[in-house]
Amino acid sequence: MQIKRIRMLFGFCVLSVGFFLDLGVCTAVQSELRITTIKQEPYAVSKGSQLEGFCMDLLSEVAKKLGLKYKVHLVKDSAYGRQDESGNWNGMIGEVVRGEADLAIAPLTLTAAREKVVGMTKPFMQTGISILLRKDISEGTGLFDFLSPFTAKTWVGILIAYLGTAACIFLAARLSPCEWSQPQSEKNRFSLLHSLWYTAGALTLQGAGPHPKALSGRVICCSWWLFTIVLLACYFSNLSSTKTSESTHLTVKGFEDLANQDTIEYGCLGGSSTLAFFENSNNPVYRRIFEHMERTKSFVSSLDEGVWRAREGNFAFIGESVSLDLAVARHCELVRVHEVVGMRGYSIAASLGSPIIKNLSVAILQLSEEGELAYLRSKWWASSCIADKAKSSAVQPHSLKGMFLILSLGLGLGALLAVLELTFKSRRSAAEQRKSCCTVLTEELTLRLRTSNANKPQENVVIDKEKA
């Protein structure tokens, strides 16, 4: 009996040790998670023998918070995951369903069909469906696009400079005795209307005579000519860089515009959730878009192909707005329309009922609250088109402040010369008439600035001759 008890106790100890050893082996195996992903910029791209990108950085941050060990491999069929007619799933979703991978981290759209077969975490990124196309197709020609090279403040500054120059020419022509020597009997050539006309003619490089004879008027005109040359050079340079192509007048601002035209082709990624959105939608506009794509077979096999066709022109690529934003950041000739429909999120997929889903969701929410997700978004979606946008932006007033300063100095110098010319003449006349210089200068100013009576002596002489 005692021997029997010893044997039973020994057997129990052996079974216990074997159980714990087996449990330890299983735990060791399961501690390294098998993670599947897909190559797509900027989520996962190759760098040597390693992968880097937004999803790789996200996975690293989540693993730090949860203390996970993992090994990443690329999905075998390079697909995200779609259910075929027999009910089987391909891509990353299929690998998770079949147990070939524990997690799938990629821009996987959270959909009802996928939620039925795998567990999905809280979204780590929000996206929607939008349209990518060339700028010359998306942007229509406006009625006042010719004003776009300058901002409204710049145009106001140019108008003030024009009126100020015309007023200075008018005053200099009346004050300078070299320009108007006999105000009693001679008519002034530079009336206010002629000064405005002369200044406008110089602005268009046409010229409008007669030209000023006095030094003061010539200084003002030279300052204005220099200002107009630089101004027109800036205008035409900026106009050429901002002018939209005139090869097409089509304006596409959203899905309804896209569905109501047949000039440009459009399509989306075949077998994607974007295609499923249009296929299952009851909206008549979306149904027309799906029927058109199905009829013309305008699907693309990859995101890169869709971007390439959009860059070639006459093709609008429909896809996830986040992916389209990346294409816009990389290719400056592309633009994404403002309309975004079918908002959804990108999530991490795990096997159905896996306990790790809850922990992953909490870690994603923590990263969002800490601003880490926003940082990763700005890191991997950095635009290379900032310099090009700056080049084509409208000219601000401070960009021409040097020319405005030169024009102001020229106008001030011209007006000062006109006053000095009149002063010198008044001093000579005062010496001849034996009057004070101030008295003669006051009389000259009164005579020259009274525009209504300045030419009356000449008019009276003509009337007397007619009466005689």
Side-chain angles (χ1 to χ4, degrees), residues 251-432:
T251 301
V252 177
K253 296 182 179 179
F255 289 97
E256 188 170 358
D257 294 333
L258 195 64
N260 291 335
Q261 59 81 41
D262 54 3
T263 305
I264 62 173
E265 192 59 70
Y266 53 89
C268 68
L269 185 64
S272 62
S273 60
T274 300
L275 177 61
F277 171 81
F278 288 99
E279 183 179 4
N280 300 327
S281 176
N282 294 323
N283 188 307
V285 174
Y286 302 157
R287 290 297 306 174
R288 285 164 53 196
I289 291 177
F290 169 74
E291 291 169 1
H292 174 85
M293 292 189 296
E294 188 71 23
R295 183 174 61 256
T296 59
K297 301 297 180 183
S298 56
F299 306 115
V300 296
S301 58
S302 66
L303 177 65
D304 292 337
E305 181 185 350
V307 173
W308 176 80
R309 292 189 62 181
R311 294 179 63 191
E312 289 295 311
N314 203 39
F315 183 80
F317 177 55
I318 304 174
E320 302 284 355
S321 60
V322 174
S323 301
L324 302 187
D325 288 338
L326 177 68
V328 172
R330 298 293 185 268
H331 308 288
C332 304
E333 71 273 22
L334 298 178
V335 66
R336 178 179 69 81
V337 301
H338 294 296
E339 183 179 4
V340 179
V341 300
M343 294 299 297
R344 74 276 304 275
Y346 289 155
S347 300
I348 300 175
S351 58
L352 196 63
S354 175
I356 198 175
I357 295 177
K358 179 68 175 179
N359 295 333
L360 290 173
S361 296
V362 172
I364 290 173
L365 291 176
Q366 289 175 346
L367 291 174
S368 177
E369 293 170 357
E370 295 169 1
E372 187 65 26
L373 295 183
Y375 166 73
L376 294 179
R377 172 69 184 268
S378 62
K379 172 184 176 181
W380 292 102
W381 269 259
S383 176
S384 60
C385 303
I386 297 177
D388 294 336
K389 291 179 180 178
K391 290 179 183 177
S392 62
S393 61
V395 176
Q396 299 289 337
H398 59 78
S399 302
L400 296 173
K401 61 183 179 181
M403 292 311 304
F404 279 106
L405 178 61
I406 292 176
L407 178 62
S408 302
L409 293 176
L411 298 182
L413 180 59
L416 179 61
L417 288 175
V419 173
L420 291 177
E421 289 170 354
L422 182 60
T423 303
F424 291 151
K425 181 189 177 183
S426 300
R427 289 185 63 182
R428 290 196 304 266
S429 300
E432 294 173 358

Side-chain angles (χ1 to χ4, degrees), residues 148-190:
S148 61
F150 294 150
T151 61
K153 291 182 179 180
T154 306
W155 285 114
V156 171
I158 294 171
L159 178 61
I160 294 174
Y162 164 72
L163 295 177
T165 303
C168 286
I169 293 177
F170 172 72
L171 291 175
R174 300 192 75 85
L175 295 179
S176 175
C178 300
E179 191 68 48
W180 195 19
S181 58
Q182 299 295 331
Q184 297 89 348
S185 59
E186 185 181 281
K187 186 176 181 180
N188 193 301
R189 299 180 304 168
F190 279 89

Side-chain angles (χ1 to χ4, degrees), residues 34-292:
R34 299 163 299 168
I35 299 178
T36 181
T37 187
I38 189 172
K39 276 189 180 181
Q40 181 179 333
E41 188 184 6
Y43 303 98
V45 292
S46 297
K47 186 179 181 181
S49 59
Q50 302 295 323
L51 291 173
E52 67 173 11
F54 178 89
C55 287
M56 298 299 101
D57 288 351
L58 174 63
L59 181 60
S60 176
E61 294 297 328
V62 170
K64 289 178 183 178
K65 287 187 173 293
L66 302 181
L68 301 177
K69 295 181 180 179
Y70 59 89
K71 184 177 182 181
V72 181
H73 68 270
L74 295 175
V75 62
K76 298 176 183 178
D77 56 4
S78 300
Y80 288 89
R82 189 184 184 190
Q83 190 175 23
D84 58 20
E85 297 178 355
S86 60
N88 297 321
W89 286 81
N90 67 347
M92 291 177 286
I93 299 297
E95 289 191 0
V96 174
V97 171
R98 294 188 297 270
E100 299 173 7
D102 299 309
L103 296 177
I105 182 166
L108 278 172
T109 306
L110 179 60
T111 63
R114 290 172 177 172
E115 186 75 17
K116 292 179 181 178
V117 295
V118 294
M120 306 289 284
T121 65
K122 297 290 184 182
F124 59 82
M125 184 180 293
Q126 294 294 332
T127 185
I129 301 174
S130 191
I131 306 170
L132 179 75
L133 64 172
R134 285 182 62 93
K135 289 182 179 179
D136 54 5
I137 296 178
S138 64
E139 297 175 355
T141 303
L143 186 61
F144 297 100
D145 278 354
F146 66 92
L147 299 176
S148 61
F150 294 150
T151 61
K153 291 182 179 180
T154 306
W155 285 114
V156 171
I158 294 171
L159 178 61
I160 294 174
Y162 164 72
L163 295 177
T165 303
C168 286
I169 293 177
F170 172 72
L171 291 175
R174 300 192 75 85
L175 295 179
S176 175
C178 300
E179 191 68 48
W180 195 19
S181 58
Q182 299 295 331
Q184 297 89 348
S185 59
E186 185 181 281
K187 186 176 181 180
N188 193 301
R189 299 180 304 168
F190 279 89
S191 62
L192 182 59
L193 290 178
H194 181 73
S195 300
L196 291 170
W197 173 249
Y198 184 88
T199 308
L203 183 62
T204 57
L205 302 181
Q206 296 300 311
H211 299 288
K213 296 183 297 182
L215 177 62
S216 57
R218 292 181 178 181
V219 169
I220 294 174
C221 291
C222 288
S223 303
W224 177 247
W225 292 341
L226 178 61
F227 177 81
T228 55
I229 290 174
V230 176
L231 182 71
L232 292 176
C234 292
Y235 175 82
F236 288 114
S237 175
N238 214 45
L239 181 65
S240 63
S241 63
T242 57
K243 183 181 178 183
T244 57
S245 174
E246 296 180 359
S247 59
T248 176
H249 298 286
L250 180 65
T251 301
V252 177
K253 296 182 179 179
F255 289 97
E256 188 170 358
D257 294 333
L258 195 64
N260 291 335
Q261 59 81 41
D262 54 3
T263 305
I264 62 173
E265 192 59 70
Y266 53 89
C268 68
L269 185 64
S272 62
S273 60
T274 300
L275 177 61
F277 171 81
F278 288 99
E279 183 179 4
N280 300 327
S281 176
N282 294 323
N283 188 307
V285 174
Y286 302 157
R287 290 297 306 174
R288 285 164 53 196
I289 291 177
F290 169 74
E291 291 169 1
H292 174 85

